[in-house]
Every structure is written in structure tokens, then in C-alpha cells.
């Protein structure tokens, strides 16, 4: 063998040894970094499917809590540029994940109660907001989320532990008014009576006041609710104000004053009380009435302000009633900013975009909200919680009213044309808790 070939062989061997030594050194350095990360965090790092084994995702909480964090407000969690994946579960439900961004925290009721201790959350909107509100209130009261699916006989939803995840036949789901319907009778009356305490405290153990009643159409309705957790659980207050009106013609905001029964778990809503309120509705006998939500939030909404005073976090959604005009959007969000004391007291106000279904896709609502309303929200000093982006996948599911209950994928997501199965509200509320609570130490 010539000297030249010997030199080439030696050079090749030297290169191989150098590369091998470099790879081993890099591997050892990466293992050291991983071990140090594990020592200095309470969370577990793990491989994410589709990533190299050394690509690590931090928790969303860690991103938001780090010193001088640019992510502290959590706005990136629902931003339209943040990829979203709904990870399938065995029972047909799904888990909301952010596969390339961070790992969402799964909040326990105790952690949520500590975060929201003595806080007042106000939800204003249509029935989509109402079910999200009821899901969170149930979580705070019962220390668990509502069953993932409504009533089914037989129940076709079984989780990885072999447990059925449907509501039991004698326990209708708070996120599904349809569960309360019996025969030809509409489900609304027994639904709101049970929420409001019935004759013995019922679902919320007397901690939810529901001065609500429905007339012959949505125009003649009152749909307001207030829940207060126990003193031991931190006295978190959750309020809901219903807004209605098809095709942009909003109906007046009306209601009756809360008595405060939620504070001492003495709320009841008997058939006699419901009939009494129904007569008051028919006589237009209200404790307060405002032409629009802007009037209620404005300086002349004195009674409204008193009923929903000291609001720390407010969420407004126009919902399926139609597009929120640009000038109206500016006015509502500016008033909501003042109402929550966001400028001085550290409150937060959000426009919560409308959750996705085939109707929101065909009427252009999602694009309108993301363009016009999002801009108005930020201009006012509020934030934009993009629920429509999180649920965009569900807009592709074929319309069916009512949704089929068995053997149909759409039926695992929707229980009617536009309302979700309870597990979707659980995931959206957990995201909401990540936004509100992750940045707290």
C-alpha cells in the first residue's frame, strides 16, 4: 500500500474518531441538561410524539411563570397561529393539546379554587356561554367535571379504566338541557329549577341562585345565574347574564335582584316560585331592565353594577345571535374594561370568540370576530380568548339536528345542532384556567 493511501486511511480514521468523540460529548451534555431540568422543576419532561427524543416541551405554566416572561398573560395559548390537536380518548371524547407549544396543566378543583379564591367571574352571552359557565360551576362545587357525555341507554362511552362516562339515568347533565326533557314536556323548567335548588338544594346544594324563566319565545326570557362556593372553598363567585336576539336585533337585558342565598347555601327554586316569576315576566315586572348590554354596563346601569359588583374577570360573547357590529364591539369592550377595573385593580376582560360548528362556518362569523372584534378587544385594553380557533376542527362535522347519539362521530362532539357534549366545555374551561391561573405563583 502506498504512503498516500496509508495517509488517507489514517485521516479517515481520525475524522471518524473525532466525530464519534463529539457525538458522545454532546450526548453526555444533553443528558446532564435533562437531569438538571428534572432536578429544578416539579414537572416531568417526556418525549413528544413526532419529535426527536431530546426535543422537550416545557409546561405552559413554566413559560408563563418564568421571570420577565413575555408569555405571562397566556394570550399565545389560543392564538390562531398556535397549532391545536384534539387527542382521542377511548370513550370518544378528546383532550385539548398544544403539540408544538407547551403542555397544558390539568387543574384540580382545589388548585382552581385557590387561584380563584374570592374572585368574581362574570360570563355574558348566549347558551354556548351558559353551558361553559355551568360546567365550571359544577367543577367548583363537586370537585370534578360533569360526566363527559349526556344520558344514553345503553351508554356506549367507556374510558380506559372500563368506566362508563355517560350521565346516569337519574342524574341529567348540567351541560345538556336535552337531558331534562321528559316525553313531550320541555326540559327547561325542571332544568333551571334543579340548578336553582329545587326543594332541597339539588345539584348545587343550594349555592346557585337562578332567577330565570322562559316565556313563549326567546324575546320573553330571563336567564341569569349566580354561584358562590363555600367559605372553605374560597368564596369564588361565578355569575352569568343571558343575552339573546336573532339577526342582530338584541333583546333587552332584564332580571330580578339576587337575594344572596348562594352565600349560605339556602337557594331553592320550587314550582311555585317558577310560576310566580313567570307571571312577573308576562307582566314585564322586572327589578332592572336595560335596552342593551351597553346600557347595563354603562354609567346608567346602576342596579346592574350593584348586582355584579367587584367583577375581577369578565367574558363576553355575542354567540350565534349574529355578528357584533364594529362600533358596538368597540363600545362593549371599552365598557367591559372599565367594569372590571382593568386599568387600576388588575381585572381582566375578554371577548370569547364563538365556538365552532357548521353554522359559524357558513355565516362567516368566525372570520368577522377574528378580524373586527379581536381588534376592538385589544384596542379597548381587553383580551381575545379564541375559542373558535380551539374548536375549528368541529366546524367540519356534518350538520345534524338533533345529533345522532350512537355510532356517529358528530354525536360524540355535539348533542344538538350547535351545543357540545360536556367534555368539550371541560377542555375549554381547563384552557381558561391555564390563562387565568398559570402566571400566579
Amino acid at each position: 500500500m502506498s504512503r498516500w493511501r496509508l495517509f488517507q486511511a489514517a485521516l479517515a480514521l481520525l475524522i471518524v474518531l473525532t466525530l464519534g468523540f463529539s457525538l458522545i460529548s454532546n450526548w453526555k451534555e444533553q443528558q446532564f441538561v435533562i437531569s438538571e431540568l428534572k432536578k429544578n422543576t416539579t414537572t416531568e419532561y417526556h418525549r413528544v410524539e413526532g419529535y426527536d427524543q431530546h426535543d422537550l416541551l416545557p409546561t405552559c405554566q413554566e413559560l408563563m411563570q418564568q421571570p420577565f416572561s413575555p408569555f405571562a398573560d397566556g394570550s399565545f395559548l389560543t392564538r390562531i397561529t398556535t397549532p391545536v390537536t384534539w387527542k382521542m380518548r377511548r370513550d370518544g371524547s378528546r383532550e385539548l393539546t398544544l403539540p408544538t407549544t407547551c403542555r397544558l396543566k390539568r387543574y384540580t378543583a382545589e388548585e382552581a379554587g385557590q387561584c380563584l379564591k374570592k374572585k368574581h367571574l362574570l360570563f355574558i352571552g348566549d347558551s354556548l356561554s351558559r353551558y361553559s359557565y355551568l360546567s365550571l360551576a359544577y367543577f367548583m362545587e363537586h370537585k370534578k367535571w360533569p360526566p363527559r357525555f349526556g344520558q344514553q341507554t345503553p351508554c356506549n362511552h367507556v374510558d380506559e379504566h372500563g368506566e362508563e362516562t355517560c350521565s346516569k339515568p337519574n342524574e341529567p347533565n348540567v351541560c345538556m338541557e336535552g337531558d331534562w326533557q321528559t316525553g313531550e314536556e320541555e326540559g327547561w323548567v325542571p332544568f333551571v329549577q334543579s340548578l336553582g335548588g329545587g326543594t332541597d338544594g339539588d345539584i348545587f346544594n343550594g349555592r346557585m341562585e337562578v332567577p330565570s324563566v322562559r316565556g313563549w319565545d326567546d324575546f320573553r326570557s330571563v336567564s341569569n345565574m349566580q354561584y358562590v362556593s363555600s367559605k372553605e372553598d374560597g368564596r369564588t363567585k361565578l355569575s352569568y347574564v343571558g343575552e339573546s336576539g336573532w339577526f342582530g336585533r338584541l333583546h333587552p337585558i332584564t332580571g330580578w335582584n339576587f337575594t344572596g342565598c348562594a352565600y349560605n347555601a339556602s337557594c331553592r327554586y320550587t314550582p311555585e316560585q317558577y310560576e310566580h316569576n313567570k307571571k312577573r315576566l308576562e307582566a314585564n315586572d322586572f327589578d332592572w331592565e336595560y335596552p342593551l348590554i351597553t346600557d347595563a354596563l354603562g354609567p346608567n346601569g346602576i342596579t346592574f353594577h350593584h348586582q355584579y359588583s367587584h367583577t375581577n374577570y369578565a367574558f363576553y360573547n355575542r354567540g350565534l345571535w349574529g355578528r357584533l357590529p364594529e362600533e358596538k364591539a368597540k363600545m362593549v369592550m371599552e365598557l367591559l374594561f372599565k367594569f372590571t377595573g382593568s386599568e387600576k385593580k388588575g381585572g381582566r376582560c375578554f371577548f370569547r370568540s364563538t365556538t365552532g360548528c357548521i353554522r359559524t362556518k357558513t355565516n362567516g362569523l368566525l372570520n368577522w370576530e377574528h378580524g373586527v372584534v379581536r381588534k376592538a378587544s385589544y384596542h379597548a385594553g381587553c383580551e381575545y380568548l379564541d375559542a373558535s380557533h380551539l374548536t375549528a376542527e368541529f366546524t367540519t362535522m356534518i350538520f345534524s339536528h338533533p345529533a345522532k347519539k350512537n355510532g356517529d362521530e358528530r354525536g360524540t362532539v355535539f348533542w344538538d345542532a350547535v351545543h357540545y357534549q360536556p367534555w368539550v366545555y371541560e377542555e375549554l374551561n381547563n384552557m381558561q384556567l391555564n390563562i387565568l391561573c398559570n402566571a400566579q405563583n
Side-chain angles (χ1 to χ4, degrees):
M1 182 181 294
S2 66
R3 291 182 179 180
W4 174 245
R5 290 190 177 278
L6 285 173
F7 174 75
Q8 286 181 319
L11 181 61
L13 178 62
L14 179 61
I15 291 173
V16 170
L17 291 174
T18 301
L19 288 173
F21 178 77
S22 176
L23 289 171
I24 292 172
S25 298
N26 288 340
W27 180 83
K28 288 182 176 180
E29 182 179 353
Q30 289 173 342
Q31 294 302 308
F32 173 77
V33 171
I34 293 172
S35 66
E36 289 300 304
L37 284 170
K38 289 182 176 180
K39 289 179 183 177
N40 291 285
T41 182
T42 58
T43 57
E44 178 185 357
Y45 283 77
H46 60 87
R47 180 180 177 183
V48 178
E49 192 65 29
Y51 276 69
D52 181 83
Q53 61 180 342
H54 300 306
D55 287 326
L56 303 173
L57 281 179
T59 66
C60 305
Q61 187 178 50
E62 288 167 343
L63 286 179
M64 294 169 67
Q65 283 188 355
Q66 62 184 331
F68 311 107
S69 173
F71 311 113
D73 65 358
S75 60
F76 73 100
L77 294 176
T78 70
R79 188 177 298 135
I80 198 169
T81 54
T82 300
V84 172
T85 295
W86 289 90
K87 188 169 66 175
M88 296 289 189
R89 296 191 183 108
R90 187 183 297 272
D91 65 355
S93 67
R94 298 156 175 77
E95 178 185 357
L96 176 60
T97 65
L98 308 178
T100 63
T101 306
C102 58
R103 289 181 289 127
L104 292 166
K105 178 178 175 61
R106 300 298 303 188
Y107 272 89
T108 66
E110 290 74 16
E111 291 169 331
Q114 184 62 35
C115 163
L116 303 177
K117 184 177 181 179
K118 296 183 179 180
K119 294 290 195 298
H120 183 190
L121 283 69
L122 173 61
F123 298 79
I124 305 173
D126 66 351
S127 57
L128 302 176
S129 295
R130 181 176 67 235
Y131 291 123
S132 185
Y133 162 83
L134 289 171
S135 172
L136 182 59
Y138 187 98
F139 181 62
M140 301 298 290
E141 177 64 22
H142 294 280
K143 309 298 185 292
K144 62 181 180 179
W145 297 104
R148 292 175 179 169
F149 296 92
Q151 295 176 339
Q152 292 184 16
T153 305
C155 177
N156 293 332
H157 302 285
V158 180
D159 66 15
E160 59 277 11
H161 305 295
E163 300 291 331
E164 293 184 351
T165 54
C166 303
S167 296
K168 296 179 181 179
N170 60 338
E171 298 177 6
N173 203 298
V174 297
C175 297
M176 295 182 62
E177 182 185 333
D179 264 11
W180 300 81
Q181 186 171 347
T182 56
E184 297 297 324
E185 295 295 323
E186 183 184 288
W188 175 259
V189 177
F191 176 54
V192 295
Q193 286 180 356
S194 294
L195 296 178
T199 58
D200 59 0
D202 221 302
I203 300 172
F204 288 99
N205 302 309
R207 300 192 187 282
M208 179 174 284
E209 187 170 4
V210 186
S212 301
V213 67
R214 181 179 290 174
W216 59 272
D217 65 4
D218 283 324
F219 180 76
R220 300 179 61 79
S221 298
V222 176
S223 182
N224 304 321
M225 306 175 184
Q226 190 166 90
Y227 166 82
V228 181
S229 66
S230 67
K231 184 177 180 181
E232 295 73 22
D233 289 336
R235 287 295 191 209
T236 301
K237 183 192 293 186
L238 307 176
S239 299
Y240 167 75
V241 176
E243 185 181 42
S244 61
W246 283 113
F247 310 116
R249 297 191 293 271
L250 292 176
H251 300 158
I253 303 295
T254 58
W256 299 295
N257 293 337
F258 293 112
T259 65
C261 62
Y263 283 93
N264 57 19
S266 63
C267 295
R268 302 292 185 268
Y269 203 9
T270 65
E272 293 76 20
Q273 289 172 307
Y274 186 90
E275 286 302 315
H276 173 71
N277 283 342
K278 189 174 181 180
K279 290 179 181 179
R280 293 190 66 183
L281 173 71
E282 293 168 350
N284 291 318
D285 178 19
F286 306 110
D287 291 334
W288 45 269
E289 181 175 4
Y290 301 97
L292 297 170
I293 190 62
T294 48
D295 299 291
L297 293 170
N300 295 325
I302 298 173
T303 306
F304 185 90
H305 282 239
H306 177 72
Q307 291 294 298
Y308 302 99
S309 61
H310 306 295
T311 295
N312 302 100
Y313 306 131
F315 302 85
Y316 177 69
N317 171 240
R318 183 73 177 83
L320 295 172
W321 300 125
R323 295 182 179 184
L324 184 64
E326 184 173 1
E327 290 305 313
K328 171 76 179 302
K330 292 178 180 178
M331 187 181 302
V332 170
M333 300 315 296
E334 288 172 0
L335 288 170
L336 209 60
F337 180 80
K338 295 178 181 178
F339 190 79
T340 55
S342 298
E343 188 173 12
K344 298 179 180 179
K345 297 185 295 184
R348 300 179 71 176
C349 49
F350 298 82
F351 183 86
R352 183 177 180 273
S353 63
T354 305
T355 47
C357 64
I358 192 65
R359 188 179 295 173
T360 59
K361 183 178 182 180
T362 55
N363 66 10
L365 180 61
L366 303 185
N367 290 335
W368 175 266
E369 288 183 344
H370 187 264
V372 172
V373 183
R374 182 173 66 98
K375 182 178 179 181
S377 298
Y378 284 125
H379 181 76
C382 294
E383 302 170 62
Y384 189 79
L385 198 164
D386 201 348
S388 65
H389 167 56
L390 299 179
T391 56
E393 176 180 327
F394 305 145
T395 64
T396 63
M397 294 187 171
I398 298 174
F399 180 84
S400 176
H401 184 74
K404 297 178 183 178
K405 289 191 174 182
N406 299 319
D408 168 49
E409 184 185 5
R410 189 183 188 282
T412 66
V413 179
F414 294 89
W415 64 264
D416 72 356
V418 297
H419 298 108
Y420 293 132
Q421 292 283 355
W423 63 263
V424 182
Y425 299 111
E426 172 186 342
E427 296 303 304
L428 294 177
N429 276 322
N430 188 66
M431 171 64 81
Q432 192 166 273
L433 289 171
N434 272 260
I435 293 172
L436 295 178
C437 303
N438 278 357
Q440 297 185 13
N441 292 319

